[in-house]
Amino acid sequence: MPEAILILNAGSSSIKFALFSAAQRPDSNGVICEGACDGIGDHVHVSAMDCSGRRFVDQPLDGASDHEAALSWLLGMFEARFSQHSLAAAAHRIVHGGARFHEPVRLDAGVIAELKRFIPLAPLHQPHHLEAVAALAKLHPNLVQIGCFDTAFHHGQPSVAKQFALPRRLTDEGVLRYGFHGLSYEYIASVLPEVAGEAVAAGRVIVAHLGSGASMCGIHRGQSIATTMGFTALDGLAMSRRCGALDPGVVLYLLQQKGMSAAEVSDLLYQSSGLLGVSGISDDMRSLLASAAPHAREAVDLFVYRIGLELGALSAALGGLDAVVFTAGIGEHAPEIRQRVCEQASWLGLEIDAAANAGGGPRLSKPDSKVSAWVIPTNEDLMIARHAWRLLQ
């Protein structure tokens, strides 16, 4: 019976899933089905598409309200609809692997206990990833579970790129810049030779992963050199609800002068800032781009400005720049943002082709542009499936 690998990306209110054939090294043609369970914690709704893109499930799940109930329904659906495949493993996207986990790993009790230590460093993601692992272990105790880490791609960065100017005892305890979105960056690096050519892929490339969570990474010869996120996923760019780079003195001010508790500051920085905080309207870039409200435009301006600053900083870390790649929700679907970022980077030798950008690329820059620009859809699920397949071998 052919084997399949289940890919899971669990959040606080959703589980995104994909089922890949494991008959050979997974590729984009190996997707059996994919979809999401939304509304966890309230009323769960599941949608799923098969390999042809046909939606075969789009329904509420009566009586299902938590991760375990949603996963139970998914396992039953897979068994009933795809009975010709046996489930070889479940592979999870896990945001934080700390300093120890920089390769995919089988999730046993010891590994899970270690990963729980990183919950304070990724409070929006880590607990929900581990909740899905625990629920699946209860439902299918003999199933191999594998963790793939968003921090892993950045593990080989130069030590100077990972250090803070803090007392060494804190560095020794793991207070370092870890970086995130590594599975996305690893995927882009893997397909860049095919899309842009070997010469571009071997050069100095900045990838902008622009979604509700946003970061950028400087890559040289396929390796992470520097990235905008740090100890947590709060650092760097302004995001949908996260503040991005912030003077730590602001946190002290909020605690000492405004009398806010640590929990209130955490909620402010993770949930009430970013595009939502600046605009006071929405955390959705589509809504902000469509709005004529001054604060909406200000939020967009700040988003683009911060990208420009980080583009310059990452170019310095790389010692130059050969290409820029846009990916993730905003990067793939917001030509106005790409246009403005590229125009802001004209000082680096980037000349955007407005027609190509409006058409969605993949090449966005003019043929004679010193720095090329591209848009490439990311595929973290496929990257996870490949890691899991290799580990199973």
Side-chain angles (χ1 to χ4, degrees), residues 274-337:
L275 297 176
L276 176 63
V278 175
S279 72
I281 296 172
S282 175
D283 66 349
D284 191 313
M285 180 59 76
R286 292 167 295 187
S287 299
L288 298 178
L289 288 172
S291 174
H295 289 169
R297 300 310 302 173
E298 190 173 294
V300 175
D301 291 346
L302 180 58
F303 184 75
V304 172
Y305 175 74
R306 288 295 314 168
I307 294 171
L309 287 184
E310 297 291 359
L311 195 63
L314 290 172
S315 297
L318 290 169
L321 182 62
D322 299 307
V324 175
V325 178
F326 295 91
T327 194
I330 298 172
E332 294 169 25
H333 303 296
E336 179 180 333
I337 299 299

Side-chain angles (χ1 to χ4, degrees), residues 13-351:
S13 61
S14 68
I15 300 174
K16 296 177 183 177
F17 62 86
L19 196 65
F20 279 82
S21 169
Q24 58 186 13
R25 181 176 181 264
D27 59 26
S28 57
N29 295 320
V31 179
I32 299 168
C33 74
E34 58 186 339
C37 296
D38 294 307
I40 290 175
D42 188 13
H43 297 92
V44 179
H45 187 279
V46 63
S47 61
M49 296 185 296
D50 61 21
C51 59
S52 68
R54 182 179 63 86
R55 193 175 301 278
F56 65 89
V57 175
D58 189 2
Q59 67 183 64
L61 301 186
D62 295 333
S65 62
D66 58 14
H67 288 81
E68 184 177 334
L71 286 169
S72 178
W73 186 91
L74 282 178
L75 291 175
M77 183 271 286
F78 293 146
E79 185 175 345
R81 192 173 186 93
F82 304 107
S83 57
Q84 71 274 28
H85 290 88
S86 65
L87 204 55
H92 301 258
R93 176 200 177 205
I94 297 180
V95 163
H96 216 305
R100 175 181 171 188
F101 300 111
H102 47 88
E103 293 287 345
V105 64
R106 293 195 181 207
L107 297 170
D108 57 27
V111 170
I112 291 168
E114 182 75 8
L115 293 176
K116 287 180 179 178
R117 294 180 52 240
F118 307 134
I119 287 176
L121 308 187
L124 299 185
H125 304 91
Q126 198 87 347
H128 309 300
H129 298 329
L130 298 180
E131 186 175 352
V133 173
L136 196 55
K138 182 178 177 182
L139 293 165
H140 202 324
N142 295 322
L143 182 66
V144 173
Q145 296 199 66
I146 295 168
C148 298
F149 304 99
D150 252 346
T151 49
F153 183 66
H154 307 295
H155 177 74
Q157 285 183 356
S159 59
V160 70
K162 295 190 285 186
Q163 284 186 299
F164 293 110
L166 291 170
R168 186 163 295 278
R169 67 178 184 278
L170 293 173
T171 301
D172 294 342
E173 291 173 9
V175 181
L176 297 165
R177 297 181 59 86
Y178 291 101
F180 299 91
H181 292 138
L183 291 163
S184 176
Y185 293 129
E186 186 177 11
Y187 174 78
I188 297 299
S190 75
V191 299
L192 195 55
E194 178 184 346
V195 176
E198 294 286 350
V200 171
R204 297 159 296 187
V205 180
I206 294 175
V207 182
H209 178 107
L210 307 179
S212 59
S215 70
M216 297 167 68
C217 182
I219 298 172
H220 188 212
R221 295 174 181 161
Q223 305 297 311
S224 175
I225 303 300
T227 189
T228 58
M229 283 181 171
F231 183 58
T232 70
L234 273 178
D235 202 5
L237 303 178
M239 298 170 237
S240 64
R241 290 172 175 254
R242 284 173 260 170
C243 60
L246 184 72
D247 180 346
V250 174
V251 176
L252 296 177
Y253 172 79
L254 296 175
L255 292 169
Q256 297 170 351
Q257 303 301 320
K258 302 296 288 185
M260 296 177 69
S261 67
E264 288 171 331
V265 172
S266 178
D267 183 72
L268 176 75
L269 302 184
Y270 277 104
Q271 299 289 356
S272 304
S273 298
L275 297 176
L276 176 63
V278 175
S279 72
I281 296 172
S282 175
D283 66 349
D284 191 313
M285 180 59 76
R286 292 167 295 187
S287 299
L288 298 178
L289 288 172
S291 174
H295 289 169
R297 300 310 302 173
E298 190 173 294
V300 175
D301 291 346
L302 180 58
F303 184 75
V304 172
Y305 175 74
R306 288 295 314 168
I307 294 171
L309 287 184
E310 297 291 359
L311 195 63
L314 290 172
S315 297
L318 290 169
L321 182 62
D322 299 307
V324 175
V325 178
F326 295 91
T327 194
I330 298 172
E332 294 169 25
H333 303 296
E336 179 180 333
I337 299 299
R338 297 195 302 259
Q339 179 87 23
R340 291 182 59 180
V341 169
C342 290
E343 289 174 349
Q344 191 171 257
S346 61
W347 65 279
L348 287 164
L350 201 168
E351 295 183 66

Side-chain angles (χ1 to χ4, degrees), residues 335-382:
E336 179 180 333
I337 299 299
R338 297 195 302 259
Q339 179 87 23
R340 291 182 59 180
V341 169
C342 290
E343 289 174 349
Q344 191 171 257
S346 61
W347 65 279
L348 287 164
L350 201 168
E351 295 183 66
I352 189 167
D353 182 325
N357 178 51
R363 182 171 180 132
L364 308 175
S365 51
K366 295 179 179 179
D368 57 350
S369 178
K370 179 183 176 183
V371 173
S372 61
W374 309 81
V375 57
I376 302 175
T378 193
N379 195 334
E380 293 158 303
D381 288 346
L382 179 55

